[in-house]
Amino acid sequence: MKESDYFIFFLGSLAMTSLALSVVFFFVLMQRRQMRHRLHVQELKTEHHLDLLRSSIAAQEAERKRFAEDLHDDIGVVLSTAKLCLARGIGEQRSDLAQEALALVNDAMKGIRNISHDLLPPGLAQFGLWSTLSDLCGVIQAAGQLRIKLEIPEETDEPDLKEELSLGLYRVIKELLNNTIRHSGANAVVIRFKTDGNTIELVYSDNGKGIEEQSSVLPGLGLRNLESRISVLDGTIQFGKAEGGGLKVEVTLPLNNR
Amino acid sequence: MMVELADSLILASPYALLPALLCGIVRFGRAPVHIRVVMLLVFISSVFTFISALLWYRRVNNLPLLHVYTVLEFSLLSVFYARWVRPHASAWLLLAVIPLFVVLSIGNSLFVQNIGTHNSYTRGLEAFLAILYALWMYYRSFRDQADASDRPALLVSTAYFIYFSACFFLFVLSNRISMSPDLRHIFWGVHAVFVFVLYGILTVAFYKVR
């Protein structure tokens, strides 16, 4: 073996070993970095899910509180008054008090109907989502503050939506309209539906202040709850800016998710 | 001094197999198929090492065994990588390389390098291909996290990667080194160090099998 061969052998072996160890070192380093990154993403996801869960629980509690207040303030007071009227009417043999009690019972029944409709829109199961939404938009437009354009695909019949999906979409639109009325300062809303047989897509836009200006108050407005509601239905929701600068919300839901 | 140290390392190197062999036997039942292939390779290495030592003791040339061992080692390493990447299409490519390598090895032993000498060409080719396989697996592990999660397989790949990288030039130049008796011991002493590294990492890999 010549001297140059020894040189090649030593240098080559040293270079190859160093290179191999460098590759292994680099690989271990990169793997650890990837692991840390994955862990971080996982933590963010968990935190986000917890956030949604907290929002969902908070919304549920707020709804229960409102329901309890409605029952106590509207129905409870009216029925108590009716009871008093009836007690006095029977005791004093006065038909005018009985008439008054009857009117109060009618008021209580109306109140119960309103609460019940608020909890579960009555036409949803019977007449479908399109019809119920038309009614809702009609009621809001009648107040004169907001013009609502409801665009429903004409070429197809209403897809056979599951109850939870219809109710979910109804609640989403109601929450968005509520947000528009209370916080955006908009006077026009466009609600557009599209479906391709597999998914249903809702695009909601208004001409108000838009998401950036509202962002500081968003968490308190129930918009976060929309995200948890949509995620329960295996859908996606995106908040963005409408053409005129208002709020734009795009919701996509699978029609046969379960 | 260096020669004595190298001689001690060469004499001790067969014992480096023992922990990997024992760990392989203990963990064989719970190991996935691709790791079992490596465990089998360690077992075959042990048998070949034992026979080689016996032949050396009786002053019989044991290099023909190396020709056979090279083929077996490369085939089992290819099967290990093929099983690891399964069901990826490249698994078939890895398996298709085996018959080609066998034909080349037989051709080399019959017509190019006598079986009584080092099979430096096929051993060098084996080292080169094993390095490529390992580099390819590192690349795959970056791209596909599923491969990266298989720690024992990654350790096995790393063990052979370091061993073949360090010994590549030794394998290629082994016949020329043999011509110089003084340095032969030192070179093979260095090889013995990497044999310890190889089987040390393999022991850890087998131990990590859950």
Side-chain angles (χ1 to χ4, degrees):
Chain A
M1 195 168 181
K2 287 184 288 182
E3 207 167 298
S4 61
D5 287 342
Y6 289 128
F7 184 70
I8 292 170
F9 172 74
F10 273 119
L11 205 70
S13 295
L14 197 70
M16 287 285 279
T17 311
S18 312
L19 211 65
L21 291 174
S22 305
V23 168
V24 173
F25 179 72
F26 176 74
F27 177 75
V28 171
L29 205 74
M30 290 304 285
Q31 226 190 8
R32 281 191 181 172
R33 195 172 288 179
Q34 268 184 347
M35 195 94 84
R36 274 203 299 270
H37 177 70
R38 276 208 305 275
L39 211 66
H40 180 62
V41 170
Q42 195 59 44
E43 276 171 8
L44 285 177
K45 272 186 186 169
T46 310
E47 185 56 41
H48 184 63
H49 278 118
L50 277 173
D51 227 22
L52 288 179
L53 194 67
R54 278 188 217 111
S55 304
S56 176
I57 291 167
Q60 222 174 46
E61 289 305 322
E63 190 70 11
R64 280 179 185 162
K65 193 178 166 199
R66 193 177 64 80
F67 184 52
E69 280 171 1
D70 282 355
L71 280 177
H72 180 266
D73 298 348
D74 295 351
I75 315 299
V77 172
V78 172
L79 286 177
S80 300
T81 317
K83 186 185 164 191
L84 282 174
C85 287
L86 276 175
R88 269 187 69 194
I90 291 165
E92 295 172 18
Q93 298 283 315
R94 284 173 60 183
S95 62
D96 60 321
L97 284 174
Q99 286 295 327
E100 205 173 316
L102 194 64
L104 284 167
V105 169
N106 277 334
D107 282 351
M109 283 170 70
K110 204 188 283 179
I112 288 168
R113 202 180 306 126
N114 286 339
I115 291 169
S116 159
H117 285 188
D118 201 36
L119 285 173
L120 188 70
L124 202 59
Q126 204 176 344
F127 303 111
L129 180 66
W130 297 163
S131 167
T132 312
L133 282 177
S134 294
D135 289 348
L136 176 71
C137 294
V139 170
I140 293 171
Q141 280 199 108
Q145 188 191 336
L146 210 59
R147 279 181 289 111
I148 304 173
K149 191 177 173 190
L150 181 63
E151 292 181 16
I152 290 162
E154 284 175 12
E155 67 275 13
T156 52
D157 292 333
E158 182 178 329
D160 188 19
L161 299 177
K162 286 176 184 161
E163 196 184 332
E164 58 174 352
L165 203 68
S166 304
L167 194 60
L169 279 168
Y170 178 82
R171 294 259 184 259
V172 166
I173 290 169
K174 208 172 165 194
E175 188 59 52
L176 287 170
L177 284 168
N178 187 34
N179 176 66
T180 297
I181 293 164
R182 289 172 65 188
H183 303 284
S184 78
N187 60 13
V189 166
V190 178
I191 302 167
R192 190 178 297 128
F193 277 100
K194 273 192 286 184
T195 176
D196 60 4
N198 295 319
T199 57
I200 185 161
E201 193 186 325
L202 156 70
V203 181
Y204 178 99
S205 51
D206 67 26
N207 61 348
K209 283 187 285 191
I211 188 111
E212 279 153 1
E213 288 169 57
Q214 293 182 55
S215 59
S216 60
V217 287
L218 272 180
L221 300 179
L223 287 187
R224 286 173 73 85
N225 296 325
L226 296 183
E227 204 181 334
S228 64
R229 195 184 285 281
I230 296 301
S231 72
V232 165
L233 295 168
D234 293 337
T236 58
I237 185 163
Q238 280 186 316
F239 296 95
K241 209 172 191 179
E243 271 179 31
L247 174 70
K248 185 180 181 185
V249 181
E250 289 177 315
V251 175
T252 308
L253 291 168
L255 287 173
N256 302 306
N257 58 334
R258 282 182 191 96
Chain B
M1 174 73 183
M2 282 289 279
V3 176
E4 280 97 43
L5 181 69
D7 272 345
S8 308
L9 284 167
I10 293 166
L11 284 172
S13 66
Y15 298 102
L17 270 160
L18 281 176
L21 182 68
L22 288 174
C23 209
I25 290 168
V26 172
R27 303 267 170 172
F28 191 83
R30 64 175 85 162
V33 176
H34 58 291
I35 299 295
R36 282 185 187 184
V37 171
V38 184
M39 288 170 171
L40 181 68
L41 175 58
V42 170
F43 177 73
I44 290 170
S45 299
S46 310
V47 173
F48 271 74
T49 306
F50 178 73
I51 299 170
S52 293
L54 215 65
L55 291 173
W56 176 80
Y57 184 73
R58 294 185 171 209
R59 305 276 181 230
V60 178
N61 186 354
N62 58 13
L63 283 172
L65 283 177
L66 186 64
H67 288 249
V68 181
Y69 177 72
T70 303
V71 173
L72 285 172
E73 187 182 45
F74 179 76
S75 303
L76 288 174
L77 270 180
S78 298
V79 173
F80 157 69
Y81 282 110
R83 289 291 307 196
W84 189 10
V85 301
R86 218 176 57 141
H88 195 266
S90 49
W92 292 107
L93 187 74
L94 289 165
L95 294 175
V97 175
I98 298 173
L100 284 174
F101 186 82
V102 172
V103 170
L104 272 173
S105 296
I106 293 170
N108 181 61
S109 301
L110 290 177
F111 307 114
V112 186
Q113 292 180 309
N114 189 278
I115 55 164
T117 61
H118 276 283
N119 55 343
S120 57
Y121 296 144
T122 43
R123 196 89 175 118
L125 179 66
E126 184 202 8
F128 178 70
L129 290 173
I131 291 167
L132 282 188
Y133 287 173
L135 287 172
W136 176 59
M137 280 319 295
Y138 285 135
Y139 168 71
R140 270 181 64 97
S141 300
F142 271 125
R143 204 189 53 191
D144 186 2
Q145 290 304 312
D147 288 335
S149 62
D150 194 339
R151 296 245 159 218
L154 270 174
L155 279 169
V156 167
S157 187
T158 302
Y160 281 102
F161 178 58
I162 292 172
Y163 172 74
F164 281 119
S165 299
C167 301
F168 178 73
F169 278 86
L170 182 69
F171 293 151
V172 172
L173 299 171
S174 51
N175 280 325
R176 303 181 79 164
I177 294 163
S178 301
M179 289 173 197
S180 168
D182 292 343
L183 281 164
R184 190 181 61 195
H185 288 264
I186 295 173
F187 290 146
W188 287 107
V190 173
H191 173 261
V193 171
F194 286 102
V195 168
F196 275 103
V197 173
L198 169 69
Y199 289 110
I201 301 175
L202 287 184
T203 307
V204 176
F206 296 162
Y207 180 75
K208 293 245 175 200
V209 169
R210 290 279 175 266

